[in-house]
Amino acid sequence: MTSGRVGAVRPWEWALPPAPVRREVLSALPDVDTGRPPLLFVPGMGHGSWCFAEHWLPYAASRGFPAHAVSLRGHGGSGAAPRPGRTLLRDYVHDVVQEAVRLPVRPVLVGHSMGALVVARALARYPARGAVLVAPLGPGAAVARARRYPADTLRGLSGRPIRLTATELFGTDGGAAAAYADRLTPEPPLVQYQLVLSRVPEPPRGKPPVLVLGSRGDRAVPAADVERAARRHGTSPLWVDATGHELMLEPGWQRPLDAILDWVDRLPR
Amino acid sequence: MRGRVCVVGAGSSGLAATKNLLAAGFAVDTYERAGEVGGNWNFGGPTSRVYASTHTISSKPFTQFPDFPMRDDLPDYPHHSQLLDYFRAYARHFELLSHISFGHEVVRASPVDGGWEVTATGPAGAGVTRRYDAVVAANGHNWSPKRPEHPGEFTGELLHSADYKGPDVLAGKRVLVVGAGNTGCDIAVEAAQHAERTFHSTRRGYWYVPKYVGGRPGDQVADLFLALRLPLRFRQWLMAATLRATVGDLTRLGLPRPDHKPLETHPIVNSHLVYFVGHGDITPKPDVARLDGSSVVFADGSLEEVDLVVYATGYLVRFDFLDPALLNWRDGRPHLYQHLFTPRCDSLFVAGLLQPDSGQFTLAHWQTVAIAEFLRARAERPAVARDFLVRAAAHLDDSWSAGARYADSTRHWYEIAHLHYLRGLERTIAELRSGAAA
């Protein structure tokens, strides 16, 4: 790679390190050590690690993978940032890398939606064993959403939290989807702005293998965003026939996870 | 496989070298004298020179490996035991342990037709000799004591800080600490709390920088001004003004006035020294003139009865396993490019031979990335590596001081300003990567 930027000099980040927070990590471990690499799941907007604990963590563990999910600051069971109004994506990156280095060996990072964006940025800081970007959030998602929900978008632009709905996230309506949507928590204003105006993530450190996974039925993240994320990592997306954006919560959650685990299994040890 | 590299030492620099060379696709064997990683931070180990109370001088963001941040629950300035745990975690996380031969000391490394022959002695004294394509010397530079030669005889106890492990040796004694490095100041502060009397001899006046400025680690505040790209003179003025407002006029307390501007000597970060001088628990003294039986005579003619002299006078750089000529050795030290590349050889590198105004491990990380990139270029695009080394040879002894004129003493031979130096390493890495296939 003829990457121009080496990224050794970061005086702003050294001068203003992210504030420490208490983080919730939910884990499911295989009964016996299979030698498979650990997975670290990173939730998307408003989600906590609970969204992976529903189905994906126990299933990944049953297939022999030590599976962990971290709640970003201000989400799930993690502590709030001391000054939430100042929270930036880089604080989320900090949360992910902090939990990655606590694992005994290098994990594969699996990020969903906004979590995929956080993972892509974390790769520029930390040489993960590999990364899976599931329905990665890109600039197209914000534009598409502004068309469908102009009032809520204006709300977001004014610095107030946007309200994600069950309809846009889930392919199948119903009690379960609505209950999940009710659990979502707001994103801080600067993060919301960053999701619209975000710079392209710096290139990864080292050359980690990256899998980009898209859902055919996704109404929140347009296919173009998924394609773009894949191109950036020199790959093409793997599409699954899922019903919506919430691949880990919807019926049929097992198929995309099997695709991820099969891919991880093929990585060089 | 791009070739086999030998790394000498599994301290902070050796571990970073091992990891970054493995990541670049090299086979790596690392030899470590001790039975444990950590080098200087392996308290009680053969080349460890930390003492029971040692904490880092730089705060976490500057100290940590950039791709393995220290945990949030560590304090701003971690203790040496926490650093050892950190290095253990690093070695485990990046699966380095199977590449390290513990209890093995490299006794000879000699160039043989295009490669290296390295001999290491194991725990049972038996030697192993193996061929390598390159050698990275990461054997540390703060372990072999440098002792001053003062005229006269001393009948009391002499101790070099290399052998200082904790304050129990100070208890109830009249102690003279010689040297105002960070170690000398730490020991003087411990003596103030344990010894009967404490004298602290320094050659010149220094700037004593507190660990916290405005409730934040001082180095983080200083880097804010670097991030704003304020010029050196302004930063020196600001630092002097800040120190005047916080630490105050030290001549009131009997300390000499600094004979230089801030940032022209290796920073002394110690919040306690001035406090104990103010309490009268530390008596400042000038240079030692001579020793006379049980007393010490100072440059100002004063004489003090002393039971124990602690020399915190620094360390000598030694590469006992190498022919010094290979490191371009002149006037008592190697002359290298970026303290890293020798013009005499394209397969020998030194990692960690730095006295930064900041943390060490961040720099060791990027140094060893540069080494890996050089070796990769040497294997795949020999012309790039060759041209680089030719240019490097014309810039030996380039100063990385960000424009400051360092005081002329052996202590500042390896002194660098971290941002200036890292920008230099960035250029080196980018240059060596240029023309590389994707």
Side-chain angles (χ1 to χ4, degrees):
Chain A
M1 197 186 307
T2 52
S3 114
R5 186 165 151 68
V6 177
V9 176
R10 301 183 187 274
W12 285 112
E13 294 180 19
W14 300 329
L16 304 167
V21 291
R22 184 185 47 77
R23 277 177 298 272
E24 173 197 49
V25 176
L26 300 179
S27 303
L29 302 176
D31 296 332
V32 288
D33 184 4
T34 58
R36 290 191 167 87
L39 309 174
L40 180 59
F41 292 92
V42 182
M45 276 185 92
H47 293 59
S49 50
W50 55 264
C51 70
F52 295 112
E54 290 281 289
H55 308 295
W56 277 20
L57 293 185
Y59 183 75
S62 77
R63 278 196 54 181
F65 293 90
H68 312 269
V70 57
S71 289
L72 302 171
R73 58 187 61 205
H75 294 78
S78 282
R83 292 175 183 165
R86 294 194 187 177
T87 297
L88 293 166
L89 282 178
R90 82 175 183 104
D91 297 302
Y92 294 165
V93 171
H94 173 87
D95 291 340
V96 171
V97 176
Q98 279 282 320
E99 291 310 324
V101 300
R102 286 182 96 104
L103 296 172
V105 293
R106 289 183 304 147
V108 173
L109 304 178
V110 186
H112 172 248
S113 194
M114 181 188 79
L117 190 64
V118 173
V119 165
R121 287 174 169 236
L123 292 180
R125 305 309 165 94
Y126 168 77
R129 190 177 301 272
V132 184
L133 311 181
V134 183
L137 195 62
V143 177
R145 194 167 190 283
R147 288 211 188 102
R148 287 176 62 197
Y149 302 97
D152 196 46
T153 303
L154 280 176
R155 240 179 93 79
L157 289 175
S158 75
R160 279 175 297 165
I162 60 166
R163 296 179 186 135
L164 297 172
T165 63
T167 331
E168 61 185 311
L169 296 178
F170 289 87
T172 49
D173 260 339
Y180 287 135
D182 275 348
R183 291 185 74 173
L184 302 183
T185 48
E187 288 299 329
L190 294 180
V191 168
Q192 287 190 164
Y193 288 127
Q194 279 188 298
L195 293 180
V196 182
L197 303 168
S198 166
R199 290 174 293 125
V200 173
E202 289 174 38
R205 209 163 251 188
K207 285 171 194 161
V210 175
L211 171 69
V212 178
L213 199 82
S215 155
R216 295 253 186 238
D218 197 332
R219 277 179 284 173
V221 171
D225 277 5
V226 180
E227 299 277 0
R228 194 178 300 114
R231 262 200 312 280
R232 199 173 289 141
H233 291 98
T235 176
S236 55
L238 180 69
W239 292 102
V240 291
D241 286 320
T243 48
H245 179 65
E246 301 286 292
L247 292 157
M248 63 282 164
L249 289 174
E250 298 189 57
W253 54 264
Q254 190 182 325
R255 218 156 355 119
L257 182 57
D258 271 326
I260 292 170
L261 299 180
D262 291 345
W263 179 82
V264 174
D265 245 346
R266 287 194 300 270
L267 292 180
R269 289 279 167 86
Chain B
M1 174 97 52
R2 293 188 151 100
R4 182 168 285 274
V5 184
C6 166
V7 176
V8 183
S12 56
S13 305
L15 288 175
T18 307
K19 180 210 147 235
N20 286 321
L21 287 162
L22 285 170
F26 294 92
V28 183
D29 291 335
T30 301
Y31 296 97
E32 169 56 49
R33 215 167 121 172
E36 170 70 277
V37 298
N40 187 40
W41 302 96
N42 173 22
F43 183 57
T47 55
S48 170
R49 298 294 175 256
V50 296
Y51 29 91
S53 65
T54 305
H55 283 253
T56 61
I57 299 295
S58 52
S59 70
K60 280 194 294 181
F62 302 91
T63 308
Q64 64 203 1
F65 293 119
D67 55 358
F68 193 76
M70 289 184 183
R71 285 164 25 187
D72 272 352
D73 55 355
L74 292 189
D76 287 329
Y77 297 98
H79 184 246
H80 67 70
S81 58
Q82 293 169 317
L83 284 184
L84 179 58
D85 285 343
Y86 173 71
F87 291 124
R88 284 178 180 151
Y90 182 84
R92 186 174 68 144
H93 190 79
F94 291 111
E95 297 166 82
L96 308 180
L97 291 171
S98 60
H99 301 272
I100 305 173
S101 302
F102 289 105
H104 281 73
E105 180 179 359
V106 171
V107 291
R108 202 179 60 246
S110 358
V112 283
D113 42 84
W116 287 82
E117 206 166 78
V118 176
T119 306
T121 52
V128 288
T129 298
R130 193 154 183 193
R131 291 214 42 162
Y132 292 96
D133 297 300
V135 171
V136 177
N139 55 319
H141 61 104
N142 281 337
W143 54 271
S144 178
K146 183 168 80 186
R147 297 175 202 275
E149 290 185 10
H150 293 127
E153 288 284 321
F154 185 62
T155 52
E157 231 181 310
L158 289 173
L159 183 74
H160 191 277
S161 60
D163 302 312
Y164 178 82
K165 297 296 166 200
D168 44 323
V169 295
L170 309 168
K173 292 178 187 158
R174 291 166 297 182
V175 177
L176 166 66
V177 180
V178 180
N182 286 298
T183 299
C185 292
D186 274 356
I187 297 175
V189 164
E190 297 206 331
Q193 298 166 84
H194 292 90
E196 189 188 305
R197 284 210 68 185
T198 303
F199 305 99
H200 188 202
S201 159
T202 63
R203 237 180 316 190
R204 51 161 58 97
Y206 291 98
W207 300 92
Y208 298 94
V209 182
K211 276 197 160 168
Y212 286 90
V213 176
R216 295 181 62 83
D219 50 3
Q220 297 180 14
V221 177
D223 258 52
L224 206 53
F225 296 119
L226 280 170
L228 291 166
R229 293 185 175 260
L230 299 181
L232 172 72
R233 274 163 185 270
F234 182 72
R235 287 187 290 115
Q236 286 177 319
W237 173 84
L238 198 66
M239 191 163 166
T242 308
L243 291 180
R244 259 197 309 278
T246 52
V247 184
D249 178 9
L250 295 178
T251 59
R252 254 196 81 244
L253 302 172
L255 285 160
R257 187 182 300 282
D259 60 355
H260 55 279
K261 291 183 194 156
L263 305 173
E264 286 182 347
T265 50
H266 188 74
I268 300 165
V269 184
N270 194 309
S271 305
H272 298 319
L273 187 90
V274 174
Y275 174 89
F276 283 110
V277 172
H279 279 198
D281 294 331
I282 296 175
T283 309
K285 284 286 173 186
D287 221 353
V288 173
R290 62 193 159 83
L291 308 170
D292 187 4
S294 61
S295 51
V296 177
V297 183
F298 295 92
D300 60 356
S302 63
L303 179 145
E304 300 290 353
E305 291 279 315
V306 168
D307 302 313
L308 167 67
V309 176
V310 181
Y311 284 126
T313 44
Y315 296 92
L316 292 167
V317 173
R318 287 173 58 174
F319 298 93
D320 295 344
F321 54 94
L322 276 174
D323 174 4
L326 290 167
L327 290 171
N328 202 24
W329 199 281
R330 269 181 289 118
D331 312 321
R333 64 151 170 158
H335 291 258
L336 309 173
Y337 179 62
Q338 290 180 333
H339 304 288
L340 190 57
F341 298 97
T342 168
R344 303 295 181 91
C345 179
D346 67 352
S347 56
L348 173 64
F349 312 89
V350 180
L353 182 51
L354 294 175
Q355 285 278 92
D357 63 346
S358 178
Q360 172 86 7
F361 318 141
T362 305
L363 304 175
H365 170 85
W366 291 109
Q367 279 194 321
T368 53
V369 169
I371 292 170
E373 291 294 346
F374 180 88
L375 284 173
R376 188 140 77 172
R378 180 174 170 265
E380 292 168 1
R381 287 156 290 123
V384 171
R386 212 164 38 232
D387 292 351
F388 171 81
L389 219 51
V390 168
R391 275 194 302 280
H395 289 274
L396 301 177
D397 302 327
D398 269 9
S399 165
W400 302 94
S401 67
R405 280 207 319 272
Y406 290 141
D408 186 25
S409 78
T410 59
R411 182 179 179 192
H412 295 104
W413 275 352
Y414 312 104
E415 187 74 21
I416 55 109
H418 67 289
L419 217 62
H420 187 197
Y421 183 74
L422 275 180
R423 290 210 174 98
L425 284 183
E426 278 193 338
R427 276 197 300 280
T428 292
I429 292 166
E431 198 177 313
L432 291 168
R433 278 182 190 166
S434 67

